PDB file of all heavy atoms in Angstrom:
ATOM      1  N   LEU A 133     -12.370  42.356   4.568  1.00  0.00           N
ATOM      2  CA  LEU A 133     -11.317  41.591   5.151  1.00  0.00           C
ATOM      3  C   LEU A 133     -11.880  40.597   6.168  1.00  0.00           C
ATOM      4  O   LEU A 133     -11.202  39.493   6.117  1.00  0.00           O
ATOM      5  CB  LEU A 133     -10.363  42.648   5.915  1.00  0.00           C
ATOM      6  CG  LEU A 133      -9.600  43.569   5.057  1.00  0.00           C
ATOM      7  CD1 LEU A 133      -8.828  44.525   5.821  1.00  0.00           C
ATOM      8  CD2 LEU A 133      -8.734  42.926   4.056  1.00  0.00           C
ATOM      9  N   ALA A 134     -12.901  40.926   6.874  1.00  0.00           N
ATOM     10  CA  ALA A 134     -13.366  39.927   7.817  1.00  0.00           C
ATOM     11  C   ALA A 134     -13.881  38.765   7.077  1.00  0.00           C
ATOM     12  O   ALA A 134     -13.739  37.524   7.418  1.00  0.00           O
ATOM     13  CB  ALA A 134     -14.526  40.637   8.693  1.00  0.00           C
ATOM     14  N   ASP A 135     -14.713  39.027   5.876  1.00  0.00           N
ATOM     15  CA  ASP A 135     -15.099  37.911   5.067  1.00  0.00           C
ATOM     16  C   ASP A 135     -14.078  37.064   4.522  1.00  0.00           C
ATOM     17  O   ASP A 135     -14.115  35.918   4.483  1.00  0.00           O
ATOM     18  CB  ASP A 135     -16.056  38.443   3.928  1.00  0.00           C
ATOM     19  CG  ASP A 135     -17.402  39.008   4.548  1.00  0.00           C
ATOM     20  OD1 ASP A 135     -17.788  38.799   5.681  1.00  0.00           O
ATOM     21  OD2 ASP A 135     -18.025  39.791   3.752  1.00  0.00           O
ATOM     22  N   ALA A 136     -12.937  37.797   4.169  1.00  0.00           N
ATOM     23  CA  ALA A 136     -11.778  37.127   3.562  1.00  0.00           C
ATOM     24  C   ALA A 136     -11.143  36.274   4.637  1.00  0.00           C
ATOM     25  O   ALA A 136     -10.649  35.032   4.309  1.00  0.00           O
ATOM     26  CB  ALA A 136     -10.775  38.125   3.056  1.00  0.00           C
ATOM     27  N   PHE A 137     -11.047  36.614   5.722  1.00  0.00           N
ATOM     28  CA  PHE A 137     -10.475  35.819   6.855  1.00  0.00           C
ATOM     29  C   PHE A 137     -11.284  34.604   7.193  1.00  0.00           C
ATOM     30  O   PHE A 137     -10.785  33.486   7.305  1.00  0.00           O
ATOM     31  CB  PHE A 137     -10.285  36.612   8.147  1.00  0.00           C
ATOM     32  CG  PHE A 137      -9.095  37.491   8.406  1.00  0.00           C
ATOM     33  CD1 PHE A 137      -9.157  38.859   8.548  1.00  0.00           C
ATOM     34  CD2 PHE A 137      -7.820  36.991   8.273  1.00  0.00           C
ATOM     35  CE1 PHE A 137      -8.056  39.710   8.519  1.00  0.00           C
ATOM     36  CE2 PHE A 137      -6.652  37.695   8.500  1.00  0.00           C
ATOM     37  CZ  PHE A 137      -6.810  39.029   8.423  1.00  0.00           C
ATOM     38  N   GLU A 138     -12.712  34.836   7.185  1.00  0.00           N
ATOM     39  CA  GLU A 138     -13.516  33.590   7.369  1.00  0.00           C
ATOM     40  C   GLU A 138     -13.363  32.611   6.283  1.00  0.00           C
ATOM     41  O   GLU A 138     -13.328  31.358   6.423  1.00  0.00           O
ATOM     42  CB  GLU A 138     -15.041  34.180   7.539  1.00  0.00           C
ATOM     43  CG  GLU A 138     -15.368  34.675   8.770  1.00  0.00           C
ATOM     44  CD  GLU A 138     -16.787  34.841   9.004  1.00  0.00           C
ATOM     45  OE1 GLU A 138     -17.412  35.436   8.098  1.00  0.00           O
ATOM     46  OE2 GLU A 138     -17.408  34.336   9.969  1.00  0.00           O
ATOM     47  N   ARG A 139     -13.313  33.082   5.019  1.00  0.00           N
ATOM     48  CA  ARG A 139     -13.198  32.243   3.840  1.00  0.00           C
ATOM     49  C   ARG A 139     -11.858  31.492   3.827  1.00  0.00           C
ATOM     50  O   ARG A 139     -11.721  30.277   3.481  1.00  0.00           O
ATOM     51  CB  ARG A 139     -13.282  33.052   2.505  1.00  0.00           C
ATOM     52  CG  ARG A 139     -13.194  32.136   1.287  1.00  0.00           C
ATOM     53  CD  ARG A 139     -14.562  31.329   1.034  1.00  0.00           C
ATOM     54  NE  ARG A 139     -14.496  30.535  -0.127  1.00  0.00           N
ATOM     55  CZ  ARG A 139     -15.053  31.001  -1.217  1.00  0.00           C
ATOM     56  NH1 ARG A 139     -15.625  32.291  -1.268  1.00  0.00           N
ATOM     57  NH2 ARG A 139     -14.985  30.319  -2.397  1.00  0.00           N
ATOM     58  N   ALA A 140     -10.805  32.207   4.378  1.00  0.00           N
ATOM     59  CA  ALA A 140      -9.437  31.635   4.457  1.00  0.00           C
ATOM     60  C   ALA A 140      -9.527  30.355   5.401  1.00  0.00           C
ATOM     61  O   ALA A 140      -9.063  29.276   5.043  1.00  0.00           O
ATOM     62  CB  ALA A 140      -8.541  32.577   4.985  1.00  0.00           C
ATOM     63  N   VAL A 141     -10.115  30.556   6.594  1.00  0.00           N
ATOM     64  CA  VAL A 141     -10.138  29.495   7.503  1.00  0.00           C
ATOM     65  C   VAL A 141     -10.980  28.320   6.987  1.00  0.00           C
ATOM     66  O   VAL A 141     -10.814  27.191   7.231  1.00  0.00           O
ATOM     67  CB  VAL A 141     -10.780  30.019   8.783  1.00  0.00           C
ATOM     68  CG1 VAL A 141     -10.871  28.905   9.816  1.00  0.00           C
ATOM     69  CG2 VAL A 141      -9.753  30.924   9.463  1.00  0.00           C
ATOM     70  N   THR A 158      -6.126  26.466  14.517  1.00  0.00           N
ATOM     71  CA  THR A 158      -6.824  27.160  15.624  1.00  0.00           C
ATOM     72  C   THR A 158      -6.488  28.617  15.633  1.00  0.00           C
ATOM     73  O   THR A 158      -7.345  29.473  15.908  1.00  0.00           O
ATOM     74  CB  THR A 158      -6.295  26.437  17.008  1.00  0.00           C
ATOM     75  OG1 THR A 158      -6.540  25.039  17.002  1.00  0.00           O
ATOM     76  CG2 THR A 158      -7.073  27.025  18.110  1.00  0.00           C
ATOM     77  N   VAL A 159      -5.133  28.904  15.496  1.00  0.00           N
ATOM     78  CA  VAL A 159      -4.691  30.287  15.523  1.00  0.00           C
ATOM     79  C   VAL A 159      -5.444  31.119  14.443  1.00  0.00           C
ATOM     80  O   VAL A 159      -5.899  32.206  14.680  1.00  0.00           O
ATOM     81  CB  VAL A 159      -3.170  30.445  15.334  1.00  0.00           C
ATOM     82  CG1 VAL A 159      -2.686  31.892  15.340  1.00  0.00           C
ATOM     83  CG2 VAL A 159      -2.463  29.736  16.488  1.00  0.00           C
ATOM     84  N   ALA A 160      -5.622  30.486  13.218  1.00  0.00           N
ATOM     85  CA  ALA A 160      -6.214  31.160  12.022  1.00  0.00           C
ATOM     86  C   ALA A 160      -7.693  31.447  12.329  1.00  0.00           C
ATOM     87  O   ALA A 160      -8.289  32.428  12.154  1.00  0.00           O
ATOM     88  CB  ALA A 160      -5.989  30.461  10.732  1.00  0.00           C
ATOM     89  N   ARG A 161      -8.291  30.267  12.868  1.00  0.00           N
ATOM     90  CA  ARG A 161      -9.800  30.359  13.093  1.00  0.00           C
ATOM     91  C   ARG A 161     -10.134  31.529  14.208  1.00  0.00           C
ATOM     92  O   ARG A 161     -11.119  32.261  13.989  1.00  0.00           O
ATOM     93  CB  ARG A 161     -10.298  29.059  13.686  1.00  0.00           C
ATOM     94  CG  ARG A 161     -11.738  29.015  14.014  1.00  0.00           C
ATOM     95  CD  ARG A 161     -12.189  27.710  14.393  1.00  0.00           C
ATOM     96  NE  ARG A 161     -11.447  26.944  15.463  1.00  0.00           N
ATOM     97  CZ  ARG A 161     -11.523  27.216  16.662  1.00  0.00           C
ATOM     98  NH1 ARG A 161     -12.288  28.081  17.153  1.00  0.00           N
ATOM     99  NH2 ARG A 161     -10.737  26.463  17.610  1.00  0.00           N
ATOM    100  N   CYS A 162      -9.313  31.514  15.254  1.00  0.00           N
ATOM    101  CA  CYS A 162      -9.522  32.576  16.304  1.00  0.00           C
ATOM    102  C   CYS A 162      -9.311  33.929  15.748  1.00  0.00           C
ATOM    103  O   CYS A 162     -10.052  34.951  16.212  1.00  0.00           O
ATOM    104  CB  CYS A 162      -8.764  32.248  17.440  1.00  0.00           C
ATOM    105  SG  CYS A 162      -9.183  30.697  18.495  1.00  0.00           S
ATOM    106  N   GLY A 163      -8.299  33.995  14.811  1.00  0.00           N
ATOM    107  CA  GLY A 163      -8.036  35.385  14.260  1.00  0.00           C
ATOM    108  C   GLY A 163      -9.231  35.756  13.416  1.00  0.00           C
ATOM    109  O   GLY A 163      -9.575  37.056  13.381  1.00  0.00           O
ATOM    110  N   ALA A 164      -9.849  34.919  12.554  1.00  0.00           N
ATOM    111  CA  ALA A 164     -10.967  35.230  11.826  1.00  0.00           C
ATOM    112  C   ALA A 164     -12.150  35.655  12.668  1.00  0.00           C
ATOM    113  O   ALA A 164     -12.908  36.541  12.343  1.00  0.00           O
ATOM    114  CB  ALA A 164     -11.423  33.942  10.981  1.00  0.00           C
ATOM    115  N   GLN A 165     -12.352  34.956  13.758  1.00  0.00           N
ATOM    116  CA  GLN A 165     -13.499  35.263  14.680  1.00  0.00           C
ATOM    117  C   GLN A 165     -13.298  36.795  15.218  1.00  0.00           C
ATOM    118  O   GLN A 165     -14.209  37.535  15.406  1.00  0.00           O
ATOM    119  CB  GLN A 165     -13.506  34.237  15.921  1.00  0.00           C
ATOM    120  CG  GLN A 165     -13.988  32.927  15.392  1.00  0.00           C
ATOM    121  CD  GLN A 165     -13.946  31.845  16.455  1.00  0.00           C
ATOM    122  OE1 GLN A 165     -13.175  32.107  17.521  1.00  0.00           O
ATOM    123  NE2 GLN A 165     -14.471  30.675  16.223  1.00  0.00           N
ATOM    124  N   LYS A 166     -12.115  37.113  15.624  1.00  0.00           N
ATOM    125  CA  LYS A 166     -11.862  38.445  16.050  1.00  0.00           C
ATOM    126  C   LYS A 166     -11.958  39.517  14.935  1.00  0.00           C
ATOM    127  O   LYS A 166     -12.491  40.568  15.262  1.00  0.00           O
ATOM    128  CB  LYS A 166     -10.275  38.536  16.590  1.00  0.00           C
ATOM    129  CG  LYS A 166      -9.931  39.830  17.104  1.00  0.00           C
ATOM    130  CD  LYS A 166     -10.790  40.551  18.196  1.00  0.00           C
ATOM    131  CE  LYS A 166     -10.600  39.762  19.498  1.00  0.00           C
ATOM    132  NZ  LYS A 166     -11.248  40.513  20.565  1.00  0.00           N
ATOM    133  N   ALA A 167     -11.575  39.052  13.787  1.00  0.00           N
ATOM    134  CA  ALA A 167     -11.799  40.051  12.577  1.00  0.00           C
ATOM    135  C   ALA A 167     -13.293  40.368  12.436  1.00  0.00           C
ATOM    136  O   ALA A 167     -13.703  41.474  12.211  1.00  0.00           O
ATOM    137  CB  ALA A 167     -11.261  39.458  11.359  1.00  0.00           C
ATOM    138  N   VAL A 168     -14.108  39.372  12.575  1.00  0.00           N
ATOM    139  CA  VAL A 168     -15.579  39.559  12.399  1.00  0.00           C
ATOM    140  C   VAL A 168     -16.111  40.429  13.468  1.00  0.00           C
ATOM    141  O   VAL A 168     -16.893  41.275  13.180  1.00  0.00           O
ATOM    142  CB  VAL A 168     -16.349  38.126  12.350  1.00  0.00           C
ATOM    143  CG1 VAL A 168     -17.882  38.348  12.413  1.00  0.00           C
ATOM    144  CG2 VAL A 168     -15.938  37.376  11.143  1.00  0.00           C
ATOM    145  N   GLU A 169     -15.632  40.204  14.675  1.00  0.00           N
ATOM    146  CA  GLU A 169     -16.053  41.025  15.753  1.00  0.00           C
ATOM    147  C   GLU A 169     -15.648  42.390  15.617  1.00  0.00           C
ATOM    148  O   GLU A 169     -16.439  43.399  15.907  1.00  0.00           O
ATOM    149  CB  GLU A 169     -15.395  40.397  17.098  1.00  0.00           C
ATOM    150  CG  GLU A 169     -15.610  41.161  18.358  1.00  0.00           C
ATOM    151  CD  GLU A 169     -14.859  40.711  19.459  1.00  0.00           C
ATOM    152  OE1 GLU A 169     -14.630  39.475  19.597  1.00  0.00           O
ATOM    153  OE2 GLU A 169     -14.527  41.552  20.334  1.00  0.00           O
ATOM    154  N   MET A 170     -14.418  42.691  15.163  1.00  0.00           N
ATOM    155  CA  MET A 170     -13.774  44.050  15.054  1.00  0.00           C
ATOM    156  C   MET A 170     -14.522  44.721  13.914  1.00  0.00           C
ATOM    157  O   MET A 170     -14.701  46.058  13.890  1.00  0.00           O
ATOM    158  CB  MET A 170     -12.338  43.967  14.855  1.00  0.00           C
ATOM    159  CG  MET A 170     -11.569  43.551  16.023  1.00  0.00           C
ATOM    160  SD  MET A 170     -11.978  44.607  17.567  1.00  0.00           S
ATOM    161  CE  MET A 170     -11.363  46.166  16.973  1.00  0.00           C
ATOM    162  N   MET A 180      -8.445  47.220  13.399  1.00  0.00           N
ATOM    163  CA  MET A 180      -8.949  45.800  13.325  1.00  0.00           C
ATOM    164  C   MET A 180      -7.809  44.729  13.227  1.00  0.00           C
ATOM    165  O   MET A 180      -7.747  43.734  13.929  1.00  0.00           O
ATOM    166  CB  MET A 180      -9.653  45.711  11.965  1.00  0.00           C
ATOM    167  CG  MET A 180     -10.088  44.279  11.622  1.00  0.00           C
ATOM    168  SD  MET A 180     -10.588  44.111   9.888  1.00  0.00           S
ATOM    169  CE  MET A 180     -11.537  42.605   9.836  1.00  0.00           C
ATOM    170  N   VAL A 184      -6.699  41.762  15.836  1.00  0.00           N
ATOM    171  CA  VAL A 184      -6.632  40.445  15.400  1.00  0.00           C
ATOM    172  C   VAL A 184      -5.262  39.697  15.679  1.00  0.00           C
ATOM    173  O   VAL A 184      -5.133  38.683  16.120  1.00  0.00           O
ATOM    174  CB  VAL A 184      -6.792  40.468  13.797  1.00  0.00           C
ATOM    175  CG1 VAL A 184      -6.418  38.948  13.230  1.00  0.00           C
ATOM    176  CG2 VAL A 184      -8.302  40.652  13.491  1.00  0.00           C
ATOM    177  N   HIS A 187      -4.915  39.086  19.348  1.00  0.00           N
ATOM    178  CA  HIS A 187      -5.665  37.944  19.846  1.00  0.00           C
ATOM    179  C   HIS A 187      -5.114  36.643  19.376  1.00  0.00           C
ATOM    180  O   HIS A 187      -5.024  35.543  20.076  1.00  0.00           O
ATOM    181  CB  HIS A 187      -7.127  38.095  19.299  1.00  0.00           C
ATOM    182  CG  HIS A 187      -8.017  36.880  19.693  1.00  0.00           C
ATOM    183  ND1 HIS A 187      -8.459  36.828  21.075  1.00  0.00           N
ATOM    184  CD2 HIS A 187      -8.707  36.080  18.949  1.00  0.00           C
ATOM    185  CE1 HIS A 187      -9.280  35.772  21.012  1.00  0.00           C
ATOM    186  NE2 HIS A 187      -9.411  35.272  19.846  1.00  0.00           N
ATOM    187  N   MET A 188      -4.535  36.631  18.249  1.00  0.00           N
ATOM    188  CA  MET A 188      -3.943  35.430  17.696  1.00  0.00           C
ATOM    189  C   MET A 188      -2.675  35.106  18.484  1.00  0.00           C
ATOM    190  O   MET A 188      -2.405  33.997  18.661  1.00  0.00           O
ATOM    191  CB  MET A 188      -3.601  35.607  16.150  1.00  0.00           C
ATOM    192  CG  MET A 188      -4.823  35.603  15.255  1.00  0.00           C
ATOM    193  SD  MET A 188      -4.337  36.079  13.526  1.00  0.00           S
ATOM    194  CE  MET A 188      -3.407  34.568  12.992  1.00  0.00           C
TER     195      MET A 188
END
Side-chain angles (χ1 to χ4, degrees):
L133 292 176
D135 291 344
F137 276 120
E138 281 194 307
R139 183 69 176 271
V141 172
T158 305
V159 176
R161 176 172 55 78
C162 292
Q165 291 170 348
K166 175 58 72 171
V168 172
E169 176 189 325
M170 292 302 299
M180 174 197 197
V184 168
H187 184 62
M188 289 173 68

